[in-house]
Amino acid sequence: MRALPGRPVYLATAEALDEEMAERIAHHRARRGSEWIEREVPLDLVQALIETDGGGARLVDCLTLWLSNLLHSKRDWSQAISELADTLSSQRSPVVMVTNEVGLGIVPDNAMARAYRDAAGIMNQTMADIAAEVEFVVAGLPIKLK
């Protein structure tokens, strides 16, 4: 990100809803330093991408938290993912997205967790389909998928 032109933009989807998460967010901020522009976008990721296009590269951290926020706010996650895909296809500045693969383990034992797992799978497949590059990172080692 730092090698790309312009000042990098960090689009944070996490919310500090408890003390532990507040500590995580503070740790991330300290590690990034002041050279990043930070935008907190727990729900309005598409609008933030539109507003920051044309500047530096953007890092979205992370899509699975964004999806969780959408589900908890009872927004139409499928429509939001479609809008995100449409927006990404017209961006001029680079966008790097972080997401989690939650479908590698056992099938969860409750309906809400299964719905989240399925929605995350659909979201990740949609983003991978439109992305120019896709890497899967395991134990800090990137595996190029696309």
Side-chain angles (χ1 to χ4, degrees), residues 1 10-11 13 28 31 45 58-67 84 95-101 123-124 127 135 137:
M1 297 288 295
Y10 188 88
L11 299 176
T13 62
H28 273 246
R31 190 176 65 197
L45 179 57
R58 282 79 45 84
L59 174 62
V60 176
D61 189 10
C62 84
L63 288 179
T64 39
L65 270 175
W66 176 67
L67 175 63
L84 176 59
V95 179
V96 175
M97 298 178 291
V98 175
T99 189
N100 296 288
E101 178 50 65
M123 177 183 67
N124 287 343
M127 295 303 110
E135 289 187 2
V137 180

Side-chain angles (χ1 to χ4, degrees), residues 105-143:
I106 61 172
V107 176
D109 68 350
N110 67 79
M112 182 177 169
R114 287 189 299 273
Y116 174 75
R117 179 181 187 245
D118 292 348
I122 291 166
M123 177 183 67
N124 287 343
Q125 289 174 34
T126 302
M127 295 303 110
D129 185 49
I130 64 168
E133 297 178 37
V134 178
E135 289 187 2
F136 184 62
V137 180
V138 178
L141 301 172
I143 301 167

